[in-house]
Amino acid sequence: MNMMQMDEFKLTVPSKPEYVGVIRLTLAAIASRVGFDIEKIEDMKVAVAEACTNAIIHGCHCEHGKNFNIDFVSTEEKLTILVYDDGEGCYLDNIEEPDLTKPKEGGLGIFIIKSLMDDVEIKSEKGKGMMIKMIKYLGDEA
Ligand SMILES: Nc1ncnc2c1ncn2[C@@H]1O[C@H](COP(=O)(O)OP(=O)(O)OP(=O)(O)O)[C@@H](O)[C@H]1O
Ligand SMILES: [Mg+2]
């Protein structure tokens, strides 16, 4: 049989900014075990921290007692990271591409995630939370 091995880690995380560091460490440990080099691990740490910060600030409004979720799914060829919350979500059409010729505070998180990861998929509807799926390939195929 030629079944690809798939390992899944699931975390439920309190909506507190101080736990983003814990997620970064967890991600680095998993990604290094899977075989990623330092450069790709650093890219993923930045992307995942941005996604978690969004879940905490926009999804959970840092509300006491709220949680959000992270799933790490690894195979021989890629690491998939899902960050999702059950907050208020948003209209994706309202998320503007940043104009990099006019620097401003904020509005860069999703842009950064898209530039650092190989594949990014975002799902959200107003009132139904947000899900962001990020994929990094081990090889150069992406
Ligand atoms: N988990 C989420 N729940 C609800 N809305 C979200 C979520 N994540 C992002 N958004 C919406 O998408 C917008 C763009 O997110 P992005 O991370 O690109 O920028 P930002 O968080 O506003 O600023 P920055 O990340 O640069 O500090 C946010 O302002 C917010 O309106
Ligand atoms: Mg953000």
Side-chain angles (χ1 to χ4, degrees):
M1 235 197 318
N2 190 18
M3 283 262 285
M4 197 183 279
Q5 169 113 18
M6 190 182 97
D7 290 341
E8 193 170 29
F9 299 73
K10 285 173 168 283
L11 296 180
T12 300
V13 185
S15 138
K16 294 179 180 172
E18 59 263 38
Y19 285 120
V20 174
V22 176
I23 309 294
R24 285 165 57 92
L25 284 171
T26 307
L27 161 72
I30 293 172
S32 135
R33 179 72 194 81
V34 172
F36 283 98
D37 60 28
I38 296 288
E39 202 179 319
K40 286 188 180 183
I41 293 175
E42 287 304 317
D43 286 352
M44 286 190 279
K45 278 161 80 176
V46 174
V48 168
E50 286 295 333
C52 291
T53 305
N54 280 352
I56 293 166
I57 293 174
H58 304 301
C60 305
H61 297 291
C62 303
E63 223 173 280
H64 189 73
K66 275 215 151 207
N67 297 297
F68 66 100
N69 298 283
I70 307 178
D71 299 351
F72 299 96
V73 184
S74 69
T75 65
E76 283 162 24
E77 60 165 10
K78 66 185 179 190
L79 179 60
T80 304
I81 305 148
L82 283 153
V83 177
Y84 49 102
D85 62 74
D86 60 3
E88 66 190 33
C90 68
Y91 293 116
L92 294 176
D93 295 348
N94 292 352
I95 301 177
E96 289 170 17
E97 287 270 314
D99 180 352
L100 297 179
T101 63
K102 295 188 193 115
K104 58 167 179 134
E105 285 280 318
L108 286 173
I110 290 173
F111 176 79
I112 291 170
I113 293 169
K114 285 181 175 164
S115 61
L116 292 176
M117 299 299 288
D118 293 326
D119 277 331
V120 178
E121 189 187 329
I122 304 173
K123 284 191 184 150
S124 185
E125 264 179 64
K126 196 83 184 151
K128 292 193 178 165
M130 163 90 92
M131 185 287 299
I132 180 158
K133 179 179 179 179
M134 300 166 277
I135 298 177
K136 195 81 165 167
Y137 291 92
L138 271 152
D140 298 325
E141 67 253 57

